[in-house]
Amino acid sequence: MKKIVFIHQNFPGQFIHIARHLLGRPDVQIFGIGMADNVKTNSHQNLQVLTYPKPTKPIDGVHHYAYFFEESVRYGQSVARILLALRAQIGAPDLIVAHPSWGEALFIRDVFPAVPLLLYNEYFDADPDPIARFDSEFELTFDECLKGRARSAIQLISQVQATARISPTHWQAQLFPSFARAKTHVIHDGIDSEKITPLESSPSGIPDLTIAGVTFRASDQIITYLSRNLEPHRGFHRFMRALPRIQKNCPNAIAVIVGDDEVSYSKLPKNFPYWRAAMLAEVEADLDMQRVYFFPKLNYLDYLQILRRSKAHVYLTYPSVLSWSFMEALASGAAVIGSRTAPVQEMIRDGENGILVDFFNQDELVEAVTRVLNNPEQMRGLRENARQTIVTQYDLKSICLPRQMNLFQELGILVNESFN
């Protein structure tokens, strides 16, 4: 029986597909470690979930550059204690897979010095940081840049311990220092293109979709904007400023905007509790609000259904972590209008499988969405190519899982895995 430990603050997080696949094997025992408040998983006879309570906040008086470091050390300490108990229970596992961004990988080597360690390298505050001065409207101060530099210490301590690393895109991989890039395998988490599919029937044969009392029909001219949180980091402010002109150009267009009012990466706006309120205060007078629908996070089925009905999907982002929603929109056969930023450019070939626009150019965004909505037949090939991009390069079962399992084999385990 092979024993594999996955460590992620929000277990299973990005490990959901690989962990689920491994649980289908009778010769594998999975141990998942995460923070008790965040863990999302179902019980399974070959899965043991170990949780730690949310660590206490750093004491008052800690320098604000060092606040994240101290908080991360507390995460690392919590995980180390679990690993010590696990060592007493099972001995050494065969492999440890960890996400290093929050400090959970800091002390793995102190408990298991010889176990292969695979790190999931999602993002590194590189030099220069691609985000720090990207958007001049919210440019970071010099002090904030120094604080970001200090954050990278946690990642560096973890990186030197790794046996190998995995990153979902080439751009995300190249952010890391050269010594880390040398042992990094670029393999996306994978998109289940069997589950995420376009609507294949004619609009007349597609049932209506009702979400929170609002009914959408397959023939509706739906523009989708989806993000975990509505914030500048994901171009929410740019989309909202373009929306009045899009409505004017496309009088039947319906905007479906999905996301919570918290922030994941950006600061909260001044004088407003959240960015939705701030942007509506700026543009609501110019909007037909009867054609604008805001929803918080949807259940996964409704989320997929609204993607499948999208006539134009807008994905704007700072150079940052690539969202699953963007990839799932492509798999749904959506006509995606994406920002000309990394790593979106890694996925979209402008005019072939999507449309790229300048993040800061409202005219380009308005023109692109208008063109997509007003010329649906001309977009048919683009939509088909969008889906083919996922099927041929990022499909979960035929592409990404086999590559992930090959990496596990290179690390010395699961040598009898076959995808024939």
Side-chain angles (χ1 to χ4, degrees), residues 375-394:
N375 300 278
E377 287 304 312
Q378 293 181 20
M379 297 297 135
R380 187 181 298 275
L382 182 143
R383 291 172 177 271
E384 293 172 351
N385 290 340
R387 175 163 173 78
Q388 282 304 112
T389 298
I390 299 300
V391 171
T392 61
Q393 298 180 53
Y394 302 99

Side-chain angles (χ1 to χ4, degrees), residues 131 134-139 225 227 229-241 260-270 274-276 278-279 282 315-320 339 341 359-360 362:
I131 292 175
F134 176 74
D135 191 345
S136 59
E137 187 174 347
F138 311 106
E139 187 172 353
Y225 173 95
S227 183
N229 290 307
L230 306 178
E231 57 185 325
H233 192 98
R234 295 306 190 190
F236 176 64
H237 58 317
R238 297 288 169 178
F239 173 71
M240 290 300 294
R241 288 167 182 163
D260 285 345
D261 284 326
E262 300 174 3
V263 290
S264 298
Y265 308 102
S266 306
K267 298 177 186 177
L268 287 169
K270 295 179 180 179
Y274 43 80
W275 280 103
R276 178 165 57 94
M279 294 314 303
E282 183 177 329
Y315 181 75
L316 307 175
T317 182
Y318 289 6
S320 183
S339 56
T341 50
F359 181 93
F360 302 103
Q362 302 295 136

Side-chain angles (χ1 to χ4, degrees), residues 7-8 13-15 18 96-102 105 117-123 155 159 162 164-169 172 176 184-185 187-190 321-322 324 404:
I7 304 172
H8 194 298
Q14 287 94 343
F15 307 140
I18 185 67
I96 298 174
V97 186
H99 195 305
S101 288
W102 304 285
L117 172 59
L118 176 63
L119 292 183
Y120 184 93
N121 281 0
E122 184 174 23
Y123 190 82
Q155 288 257 33
Q159 292 298 323
R165 303 162 186 88
I166 188 170
S167 282
T169 69
Q172 287 168 261
F176 286 77
T184 296
H185 301 256
I187 308 172
H188 193 269
D189 312 324
V321 173
L322 193 68
W324 280 354
Q404 291 166 9

